[in-house]
């Protein structure tokens, strides 16, 4: 016999300690513990056995991993926290003695500076680890960048967040690593791929954020403090990796006037001395050539695509000095694989915007102007991230940084978000080279009229083009047009799930389709009925019959088959002579023959009904309708039979499962059924909408 | 002493009255005193002798002098009642003035305690009367003692105030140093020096407390002196002392806590005159240190060279610069990055899922909620909602409002990140189909029964048992109507019928196994077992003759058999069974032999050769006769001594070995009949076994139980079942292996279903038996919570037939 083990010395009892125990062990107050946990990324655990983990009789709720807490014991931050506490005591003592200057001096000189560098290194040993954890950091910092400064949120923190996020966006623009974006009701989602890591974050719309009273900004501030440190290190790494100097120079004056992205001046590391005002200079130099190209572009349908304007691309490529420019665009673009067999598994394909090349040239050849009602910042960011170098906007959206004004004739696309813009009233003057003169159109044009020679689109066009990886038809997004639905690029179509992009007919199950067509027919019948009064009786009869038959089919679905095996029973049933009902307790077996019997029964019944109808003096049903109905019924019965057989088989196999496995199986089936139900609900809604709309909408 | 005499019930009032009268008229006192005297002394005697008898004597005296009292009272009180109002006032006055006197308190106390107190305290107020008159009277009284001699009883000696007895000056409580609370239950608080009870001083109840509260006497503290039980009073000085003590001050006046120090050894005029050492002052006390000089010079040099900078208070600019430096990273943390292997306990926070279609600002219309969904969402509690927003449609981007919950959602995410307990859960992302076990296709396992081919109708009430004859042509059945019927297996036609009993049901029907040349059906009805030879030309004359021979063989044997064994006392054992020839009418109808037991057999199992069969009568009280083994050829019945520990349920014979299986309620025991010992005991774990079936090869046993289970025992594997199958929702009544060589088994249950299973037993020991469910046969009506009562396989073919519970009239 082995040694008797003492209780509470190993396993769950030793591995976990409660929060109060942890706080006592670290000898810090709870708020400090909270901060420490946030900084160090320490989180409670769910022990496998709560009962064993808790030593006290009262049920504890939060457990920490003991080694986590042990590891906190050596944390240099702990010392800082203690210093801070000591300083607070000193200051309060000084203030108590009315020595205000002393207190101020103490605060100035002794306030410990908390640095989180070592924690960043500890928590994220590699850069990729840090990128993996950027989702929450970016969402949080973008939120704080858009928050108004209050006493809870100091203006300095907001400014810092703004600066860091803009720097990050600059990196994305530079490397064209933004991949997808989505306009949701919560805000705008962006997804970028940096060093193979997908980073997804959410930026709120620019409205004053409502913060309820139940929000503790101290906790959020602690997170923000950590995240700012993280993002600044990430930015440093990202900037240096593409040969830029970090931090980039910030033009304070233009920043104040609302320049946002263009307030930054990125410098190359080699020639750190001279500021690189790449975009502005380039565009200035090549404005003439660009204008020519744009004119050429705008002459045809303009959305003809990028293939035709090869020369323009080449020019643009040489013009902008791109450190990451791709030499062989043809070799890096991805081919689209389409599976020929619908039953085969579809491989997950990288999206079209997965490569830098597509991203960098999507809007490259365009000059875009943003009307004053559009959100400038997201549009500017997304357009520039996808290759557009010339973005102009209304002066009301911020003076500096705009490429051109509204009447500039180089503009190829104007993004508007107004109900409609009337076409210019006078007949179109030939917009050739003459219009390049600045004074001409500015005088002639009325303020609220379209300027010829450019495409007016709604903002959604940009997002849908980005997500699709190619330019969308601009006429669908014209001002005032009803927009096509904006779809999330992250939803993967699942088997059996509802996919709004696919027409309904392709995804609905056979049963649904049948029910649908039946319904249609019923409706048609009704319509017919209303139309012709003379055939009323027939119509009604037909309906009744159909219903009757339907009922029977439903009965067949159950495992207990009411229909008896012998023929005379049927006779009994049909002739309504139920004399022998009392005798017959024997229900019959649910057997293979049930389905076959169904068939024969149905035929017999149909025949019987016909005979009856004849006897009553009605005309027999029109053959065409009947044939259709019969075919449908046959298919239905076949399907129900197959379903029933499958169900029986599953039941049989379930009998041989251990109980635990069976429960798991049932759970899975349940959850799958729930998903199917949801998909079915959506399909039903879609069908309804289609019917109401009259014509089916293209997905 | 009027109060005592005049009856205790009115005592309270009367005491006051007497006193009032004393105040009013002096004259009456003398007259009354004479009477008082004797009584008072009598009382004294009583109180001194034995206080126990005191009360009795009071009563006697009251009785004797009751009449006198009445007279006196009448004469005294009538005048006083005339001026009643005045009297009452007077009494009230007295009550108020008589401070600390016990009597007023009585009126306020509860009646019982008041009486007791009065009894105790009666002495004290009476004393003065005695003293006044004691001068003239002798100091003793003469009574007769128990022997009839005169006895002198002396009165109490009252030491006068200036007596030299110094101890008597303290009329204290003598209980000693014990808490006063010990006397809480008593009306007194202790004893005085004479052993008399000290009455509890009146507590400040009701009127007293009211009066006390009106004018608080000086020095009143509201406390009770624990020594005396009286209210504690403190003087102003005492209070002052207490106050000082509580403040940690010196209690008395004139105490100086800080007296001047008296210098004894130091101070002026007491300096040390002589130095301790006579050595001269060292030089170092006058010359500057070279070492220090060197160090200073080093510093000077460093300052001149600029290595040490004098402290300069940091300016605002410096600070700002520092801050700015801190704000932005100035170096690459990951310059020397080294990946760390992931630890099991490291659980990264789950990422938020990407948004779906319904979150779009302009989703497809089918994602928008209709009115019902919207309402349910709004009515739901925030925690119950499956998503935290309601899909909305905005025709244009400019119409999208700000999302109100944004900050809250981010805050909650923060809370989740650092407060939510994390746990690693492996998510099963597999097709549920893959969990289902792979079973062979039932089509491959054919043949097995799928359909009902024949229904035999005719029995009234339940059919309890069926049996298929060895040739496979007929079915024998017996039921509640007391008949045994034989049916044609193919057509379901009734071929023969015999009514065995009017009241009792036929419990078991069983064909004798063995070669086809005999045709004997055995039926158990009540306590009798009938051996039937079916008539109606069912069997050929040869078989009939052979069957008759077989049944008759035993008669001769019985005749030649030794007489029944005798018990130790010599008396013949009453035989428990009798093999008899039935009466002729019964013989004509086909019953050739009857065996009567004294118990009702419920099951019957044949040995494969057809000579032995066993019956079980589970309802018997004596376990020893529950199981019987009968020998047909000898007309003999034996009751093997099995020492079962439970009620026997059913039995069966091993087909190849001389083994005998007996199932009790919870166990199956296997006996070797040759060696006459217990071979093995199986523990199926069932609560109540209903039936058992042995595989034709004899290596596997099926046990059906009323607790809904079917248990498969591999006899080579051990005592516990190899497989437990629970498919039925009600009790399993019967189970049967196919005996004709097909790997099939069937069980019938009270839920009205029959399960046909494939159970292949392989000769190879390494391969376990495989059980595959094949078919569920439904259709039996369940009557009175009874479904399928028995299952029987056809001998050669894969037909399966079962008992049918038939109710109603036969068609």
């Amino acid at each position: 016999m082995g040694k008797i083990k003492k209780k509470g010395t190993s396993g769950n009892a030793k591995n976990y300690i409660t929060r109060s125990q942890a706080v006592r062990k670290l000898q810090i107050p709870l708020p400090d513990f909270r901060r420490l946990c946030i900084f160090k990324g320490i989180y409670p655990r769910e022990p496998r056995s709560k009962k064993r983990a808790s030593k006290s009789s009262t049920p504890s709720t939060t457990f920490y991993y003991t080694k986590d807490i042990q590891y906190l014991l050596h944390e240099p931050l702990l010392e800082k926290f203690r210093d801070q506490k000591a300083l607070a005591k000193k200051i309060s003592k000084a203030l108590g003695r009315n020595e205000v200057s002393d207190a101020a001096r103490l605060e100035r000189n002794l306030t410990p500076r908390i640095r989180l560098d070592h924690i960043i290194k500890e928590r994220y040993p590699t850069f990729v680890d840090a990128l993996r954890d950027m989702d929450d950091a970016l969402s949080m910092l973008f939120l704080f960048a858009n928050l108004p400064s209050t006493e809870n949120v100091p203006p300095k923190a907001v400014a810092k967040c703004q600066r860091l996020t803009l720097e990050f966006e600059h990196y994305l623009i530079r490397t064209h690593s933004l991949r997808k974006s989505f306009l949701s009701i919560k805000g705008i989602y962006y997804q970028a791929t940096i060093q193979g890591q997908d980073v997804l974050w959410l930026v709120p719309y620019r409205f004053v954020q409502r913060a309820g009273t139940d929000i503790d900004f101290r906790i959020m501030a602690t997170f923000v403090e950590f995240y700012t440190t993280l993002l600044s290190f990430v930015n440093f790494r990202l900037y240096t990796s593409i040969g830029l100097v970090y931090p980039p120079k910030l033009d304070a004056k233009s920043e104040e006037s609302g320049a946002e992205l263009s307030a930054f001046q990125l410098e190359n590391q080699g020639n750190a001395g001279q500021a690189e005002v790449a975009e502005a200079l380039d565009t200035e130099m090549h404005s003439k050539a660009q204008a020519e190209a744009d004119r050429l572009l705008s002459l045809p349908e303009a959305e003809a695509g990028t293939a035709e304007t090869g020369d323009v691309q080449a020019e643009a490529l040489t013009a902008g000095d791109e450190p990451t420019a791709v030499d062989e665009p043809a070799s890096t673009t991805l081919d689209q694989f389409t599976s020929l067999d619908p039953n085969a598994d579809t491989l997950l394909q990288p999206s079209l915007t997965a490569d830098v090349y597509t991203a960098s040239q999507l809007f490259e050849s365009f000059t875009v102007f943003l009307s004053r009602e559009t959100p400038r910042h997201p549009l500017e960011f997304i357009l520039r991230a996808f290759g557009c170098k010339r973005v102009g906007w209304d002066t009301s959206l911020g003076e500096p940084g705009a490429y051109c004004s509204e009447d500039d004739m180089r503009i190829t696309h104007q993004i508007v978000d107004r109900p409609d813009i009337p076409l210019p009233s006078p007949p179109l003057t030939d917009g050739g080279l003459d219009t390049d003169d600045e004074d001409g159109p500015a005088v002639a044009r009325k303020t609220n009229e379209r300027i010829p020679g450019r495409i007016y689109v709604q903002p959604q066009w940009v997002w849908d083009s980005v997500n699709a990886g190619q330019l969308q038809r601009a006429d669908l997004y014209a001002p005032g047009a009803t927009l096509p639905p904006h779809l999330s690029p992250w939803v993967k179509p699942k088997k059996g799930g509802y996919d709004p992009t696919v027409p309904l007919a392709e995804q609905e199950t056979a049963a649904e389709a049948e029910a649908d067509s039946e319904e249609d027919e019923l409706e048609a019948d009704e319509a017919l009925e209303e139309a012709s009064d003379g055939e009323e009786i027939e119509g009604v009869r037909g309906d009744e019959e159909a219903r009757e038959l339907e009922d029977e089919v439903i009965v067949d679905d159950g495992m207990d088959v009411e229909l008896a095996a012998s023929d005379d029973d049927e006779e009994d049933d049909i002739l309504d002579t139920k004399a022998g009902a009392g005798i017959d307790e024997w229900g019959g077996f649910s057997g293979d023959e049930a389905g076959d019997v169904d068939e024969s029964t149905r035929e017999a019944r149909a025949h019987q009904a016909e005979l009856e109808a004849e006897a009553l003096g009605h005309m027999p049903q029109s053959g065409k309708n009947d044939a259709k109905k019969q075919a449908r019924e046959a298919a239905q019965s076949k399907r129900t039979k197959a379903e029933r057989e499958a169900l029986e088989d599953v039941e049989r196999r379930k009998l041989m499962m251990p109980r635990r496995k069976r429960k798991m199986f049932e759970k899975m089936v349940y959850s799958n059924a729930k998903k199917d139900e949801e998909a079915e609900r959506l399909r039903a809604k879609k069908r309804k909408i289609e019917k109401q709309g009259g014509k089916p909408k293209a997905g | 002493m009027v109060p005592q005499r005049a009856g205790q019930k009115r005592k309270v009032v009367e005491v006051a009255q007497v006193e009032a009268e004393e105040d009013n008229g002096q004259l009456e006192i003398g007259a009354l005193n004479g009477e008082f005297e004797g009584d008072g002394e009598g009382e004294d005697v009583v109180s001194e002798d034995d206080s126990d008898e005191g009360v009795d004597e009071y009563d006697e005296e009251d009785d004797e002098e009751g009449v006198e009292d009445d007279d006196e009272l009448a004469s005294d009180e009538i005048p006083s009642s005339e001026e009643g109002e005045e009297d009452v006032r007077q009494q009230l006055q007295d009550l108020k003035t008589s401070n600390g006197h016990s009597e007023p308190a009585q009126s306020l106390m509860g009646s019982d305690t008041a009486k007791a107190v009065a009894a105790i305290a009666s002495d004290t107020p009476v004393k003065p009367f005695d003293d006044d008159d004691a001068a003239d009277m002798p100091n003793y009284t003469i009574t007769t003692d128990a022997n009839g001699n005169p006895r002198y009883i002396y009165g109490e000696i009252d030491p006068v105030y200036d007596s030299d007895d110094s101890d008597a000056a303290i009329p204290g409580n003598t209980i000693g140093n014990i808490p006063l609370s010990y006397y809480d239950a008593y009306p007194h608080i202790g004893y005085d020096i004479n052993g008399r009870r000290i009455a509890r001083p009146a507590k400040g109840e009701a009127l007293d407390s009211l009066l006390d509260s009106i004018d608080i006497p000086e020095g009143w503290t509201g406390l009770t002196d624990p020594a005396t039980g009286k209210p504690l009073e403190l003087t102003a000085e005492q209070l002052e002392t207490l106050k000082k003590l509580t403040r940690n001050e010196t209690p008395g006046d004139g105490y100086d806590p800080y007296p001047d120090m008296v210098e004894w050894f130091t101070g002026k005029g007491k300096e040390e005159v002589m130095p301790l050492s006579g050595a001269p002052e060292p030089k170092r006390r006058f010359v500057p240190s070279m070492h220090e000089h060197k160090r200073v010079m080093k510093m000077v040099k460093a300052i001149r060279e600029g290595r040490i900078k004098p402290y300069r208070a940091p300016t605002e600019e410096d600070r700002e610069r520092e801050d700015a430096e801190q704000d932005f990273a100035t170096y690459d943390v990951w310059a020397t990055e080294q990946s760390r292997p992931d630890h099991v306990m490291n659980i990264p926070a789950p990422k938020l899922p990407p948004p779906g279609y319904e979150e779009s600002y302009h989703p497809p219309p089918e994602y928008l909620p209709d009115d019902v969904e919207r309402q349910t969402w709004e009515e739901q509690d925030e925690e119950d909602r499956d998503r935290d927003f309601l899909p909305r449609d905005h025709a244009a981007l400019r119409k999208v409002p700000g999302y109100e919950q944004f900050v809250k959602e981010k805050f909650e995410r923060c809370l989740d990140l650092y407060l939510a307990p994390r746990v690693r859960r492996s998510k099963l992302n597999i097709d549920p189909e893959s969990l289902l076990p792979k079973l062979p296709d039932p089509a491959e396992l054919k043949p097995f029964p799928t359909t009902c081919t024949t229904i035999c109708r005719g029995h009234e009430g339940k059919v309890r048992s069926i049996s298929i004859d060895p040739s496979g042509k007929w079915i024998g059945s017996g039921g509640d109507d007391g008949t045994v019927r034989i049916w044609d297996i193919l057509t379901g036609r009734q071929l023969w019928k015999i009514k065995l009993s009017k009241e009792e049901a036929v419990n078991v029907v069983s064909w004798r196994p063995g070669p086809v040349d005999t045709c004997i059906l055995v039926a158990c009805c009540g306590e009798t077992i009938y051996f039937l030879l079916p008539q109606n030309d069912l069997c050929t004359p040869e078989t009939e003759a052979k069957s008759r021979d077989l049944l008759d063989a035993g008669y001769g044997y019985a005749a030649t058999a030794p007489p029944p064994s005798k018990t130790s006392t010599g008396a013949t054992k009453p035989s428990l069974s009798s093999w008899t020839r039935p009466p002729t009418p019964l013989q004509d109808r086909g019953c050739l032999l009857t065996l009567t037991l004294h118990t009702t057999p419920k099951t019957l199992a044949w040995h494969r050769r057809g000579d032995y069969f066993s019956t079980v009568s589970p309802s018997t009280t004596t376990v020893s006769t529950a199981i019987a083994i009968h020998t047909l050829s000898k007309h003999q019945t034996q009751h093997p001594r099995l020492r079962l520990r439970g009620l026997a349920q059913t039995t069966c014979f091993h087909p190849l070995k001389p083994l005998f299986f007996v199932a009790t309620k919870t166990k199956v025991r296997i006996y070797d009949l040759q060696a006459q010992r217990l071979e093995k005991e199986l523990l199926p774990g069932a609560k109540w076994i209903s039936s058992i079936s042995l595989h034709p090869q004899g290596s596997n046993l099926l046990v059906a139980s009323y607790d809904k289970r079917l248990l498969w025992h591999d006899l080579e594997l051990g005592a516990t079942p190899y497989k437990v199958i629970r498919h039925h929702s009600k009790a399993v009544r019967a189970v049967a292996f196919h005996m004709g060589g097909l790997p099939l088994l069937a069980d019938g249950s009270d839920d009205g279903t029959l399960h046909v299973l494939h159970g292949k037993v392989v000769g190879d020991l390494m391969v376990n038996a495989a059980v595959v469910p094949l078919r569920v046969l439904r259709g039996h009506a369940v009557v009175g919570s009874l479904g399928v009562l028995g299952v029987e396989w056809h001998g050669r073919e894969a037909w399966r037939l079962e008992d049918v519970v038939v109710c109603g009239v036969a068609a």
Side-chain angles (χ1 to χ4, degrees), chain A residues 45 189 486 498 589 681 685, chain B residues 345 360 366 368 373 452:
Chain A
R45 318 287 181 123
Y189 285 92
H486 182 57
Y498 173 67
F589 288 115
R681 195 178 57 80
K685 258 187 177 178
Chain B
M345 290 306 285
S360 169
E366 54 269 25
L368 294 172
E373 284 167 336
C452 171

Side-chain angles (χ1 to χ4, degrees), chain B residues 441-451 742 744 756 774-775 793 798:
Chain B
D441 186 14
E444 290 169 14
L445 303 175
K446 272 179 180 173
F448 57 84
T450 54
T451 45
L742 287 169
L744 291 174
V756 180
L774 290 178
R775 190 136 199 102
W793 285 96

Side-chain angles (χ1 to χ4, degrees), chain B residues 398-429:
Chain B
R398 67 171 186 280
K399 290 178 181 166
V400 182
Y403 184 57
E404 285 193 341
Q405 301 292 309
F406 200 97
V407 182
K408 198 176 172 224
E409 265 180 28
K410 283 289 152 246
F411 175 63
E412 267 158 18
R413 172 71 179 166
C414 284
L415 289 186
D416 280 351
L417 282 178
Y418 92 100
L419 270 185
R422 293 186 200 169
V423 67
R424 240 183 231 275
R425 283 230 171 84
S426 53
K427 205 174 170 188
L428 266 181
N429 196 11

Side-chain angles (χ1 to χ4, degrees), chain A residues 34 43-45 117 122 124 127 136 185 189 233 417 460 483 486 488 498 589 652 681 685, chain B residues 319 331 333-334 337 340 345 347 355 359-362 366 368 373 398 413 418 422 452 773 778:
Chain A
R34 211 160 52 196
Y43 43 87
R45 318 287 181 123
D117 308 11
E122 261 171 22
Y124 311 109
F127 181 56
D136 289 313
I185 51 172
Y189 285 92
F233 277 113
D417 199 357
Q460 197 191 322
L483 291 167
H486 182 57
S488 163
Y498 173 67
F589 288 115
R652 206 166 57 81
R681 195 178 57 80
K685 258 187 177 178
Chain B
R319 273 200 205 94
Y331 68 100
V333 203
W334 296 285
E337 61 182 9
R340 196 168 35 188
M345 290 306 285
I347 309 165
E359 212 181 308
S360 169
Y361 88 100
H362 181 52
E366 54 269 25
L368 294 172
E373 284 167 336
R398 67 171 186 280
R413 172 71 179 166
Y418 92 100
R422 293 186 200 169
C452 171
R778 294 166 211 271

Side-chain angles (χ1 to χ4, degrees), chain B residues 132-145:
Chain B
D132 290 337
D133 301 321
D136 327 313
M137 300 297 290
N139 200 17
Y140 54 86
T141 51
I142 304 163
T143 53
T144 48
D145 61 8

Side-chain angles (χ1 to χ4, degrees), chain B residues 157 239 329 332 358 396 518 520 525 531 534 689 705 726 789:
Chain B
I157 298 165
L239 278 173
D332 187 4
E358 62 275 2
T518 59
I520 297 168
C525 181
F531 294 81
I689 294 171
S705 80
R726 236 206 92 168
L789 292 180

Side-chain angles (χ1 to χ4, degrees), chain B residues 443-608:
Chain B
E444 290 169 14
L445 303 175
K446 272 179 180 173
F448 57 84
T450 54
T451 45
C452 171
T453 54
T454 319
I455 300 172
C456 308
R457 288 200 179 85
H459 271 289
E460 293 165 30
K462 292 191 269 292
V463 177
R464 297 228 174 187
S465 170
I466 56 163
S467 177
I468 296 173
D469 94 299
S471 65
K473 285 186 278 185
W474 311 312
I475 312 170
S477 69
D480 272 2
D481 52 359
T483 60
V484 172
R485 296 166 199 240
I486 292 178
W487 314 81
D488 185 22
I489 206 162
L490 287 175
T491 58
R493 196 165 63 88
Q494 184 180 316
L495 300 174
W496 183 68
K497 167 187 157 184
I498 180 169
K499 186 142 182 113
L500 294 176
S501 161
K502 274 175 188 163
E503 295 96 33
E504 309 224 48
V506 176
N507 283 321
V508 191
V509 174
S510 180
W511 291 92
R512 177 180 172 269
V516 195
D517 55 353
T518 59
C519 179
I520 297 168
L521 183 65
V522 183
C524 305
C525 181
E527 292 181 349
T528 320
I529 302 170
Y530 299 88
F531 294 81
L532 308 172
L533 183 66
Q535 310 285 309
N536 279 9
D537 300 329
L538 282 179
C539 36
T540 55
E542 297 93 72
T543 40
E544 194 173 337
K546 206 150 193 192
S547 306
R548 276 180 191 279
D549 287 349
L550 197 80
L551 291 174
D552 291 341
Y555 290 120
Y557 186 85
T560 55
S565 61
K566 296 195 172 180
T567 52
S568 52
T569 52
T572 47
K573 258 189 186 172
S575 111
L576 292 169
S577 59
S578 58
W579 297 72
T580 51
R581 206 185 284 278
T584 337
L586 207 57
Q587 273 191 42
D588 292 343
R589 277 159 59 201
C591 177
L592 296 184
L593 180 67
T594 56
L595 163 61
T596 312
L597 300 171
H598 290 281
T599 53
T600 312
K602 292 276 185 185
T603 63
L604 188 147
W606 278 97
H607 187 256
R608 113 192 103 93

